[in-house]
Amino acid sequence: MTDGPTILVLGGARSGKSRHAEAIVSALPPPWLYVATAQSFDAEMEERIAIHRARRSSDWQTVEAPIDLSATLKSLPGDRPVLIDCLTVWLSNLVLGEHDVERATDALEDALQRRDAATVLVSSEVGLSIVPDNVLARRFRDAQGELNQRIAKTADRVVLVAAGLPLTLKPQ
């Protein structure tokens, strides 16, 4: 079991979940580690990444982990607070790359258990909208729901952010 808490921050698109997660981590002593799962494939995504980077101070060290999140997490200093943003993009990378999602999730859970410092994970709650009209989107939505449930089950705290307002679903 970890000494530091594991906190899952859920929310919809543009809900404020990343900012809330950053505030949780930045309330702890720096330096902080930011594990980014996004990959830049076009100018619009490059701009989104730049906006995220610009709002973080120099106390943040960014590490990229679009696929092998567990190995990256295990390689980081275990005594420094970590923010993983976000599990939804990571899952998308796995699904589109036809990786073994179950095995990757098992490995992530194992890596989280080895952490000594706080670990905050951001993830989208995608199950609140309409049923997707194609197989890939339904498969992704289902996998995201299962991933969120697995991480929430073992997390010390779970927060849902809507309209920038946090609602604690599982108190620490």
Side-chain angles (χ1 to χ4, degrees):
M1 190 75 180
T2 64
D3 292 329
T6 299
I7 302 166
L8 176 61
V9 179
L10 299 167
R14 293 288 185 246
S15 64
K17 62 189 176 293
S18 291
R19 285 187 186 180
H20 183 72
E22 289 169 8
I24 291 170
V25 174
S26 63
L28 301 169
W32 311 297
L33 296 165
Y34 185 98
V35 178
T37 61
Q39 300 175 84
S40 177
F41 293 116
D42 56 45
E44 189 268 342
M45 191 60 170
E46 286 177 20
E47 184 176 336
R48 286 177 181 264
I49 291 170
I51 289 168
H52 271 252
R53 282 186 180 146
R55 77 171 179 238
R56 293 192 303 270
S57 73
S58 61
D59 288 318
W60 289 92
Q61 175 190 351
T62 301
V63 178
E64 295 183 7
I67 302 292
D68 202 350
L69 185 53
S70 62
T72 298
L73 198 54
K74 287 178 183 177
S75 74
L76 299 174
D79 60 347
R80 289 179 54 192
V82 169
L83 170 59
I84 299 171
D85 195 359
C86 85
L87 292 181
T88 306
V89 173
W90 173 68
L91 178 64
S92 178
N93 295 339
L94 294 177
V95 169
L96 292 175
E98 299 182 359
H99 297 273
D100 186 334
V101 172
E102 181 76 22
R103 186 174 351 157
T105 303
D106 289 344
L108 174 59
E109 288 178 319
D110 180 63
L112 289 169
Q113 289 298 315
R114 296 172 186 257
R115 299 266 317 136
D116 292 325
T119 307
V120 180
L121 303 102
V122 175
S123 191
S124 294
E125 182 51 69
V126 299
L128 298 174
S129 62
I130 61 172
V131 175
D133 69 349
N134 66 77
V135 173
L136 177 60
R138 286 190 298 272
R139 187 173 130 227
F140 175 78
R141 182 217 41 206
D142 294 350
Q144 184 65 61
E146 291 169 12
L147 173 62
N148 287 348
Q149 288 183 53
R150 284 183 64 176
I151 300 302
K153 182 178 181 179
T154 59
D156 298 295
R157 183 169 50 157
V158 179
V159 178
L160 175 67
V161 179
L165 301 172
L167 173 65
T168 301
L169 301 178
K170 182 179 180 183
Q172 194 165 346

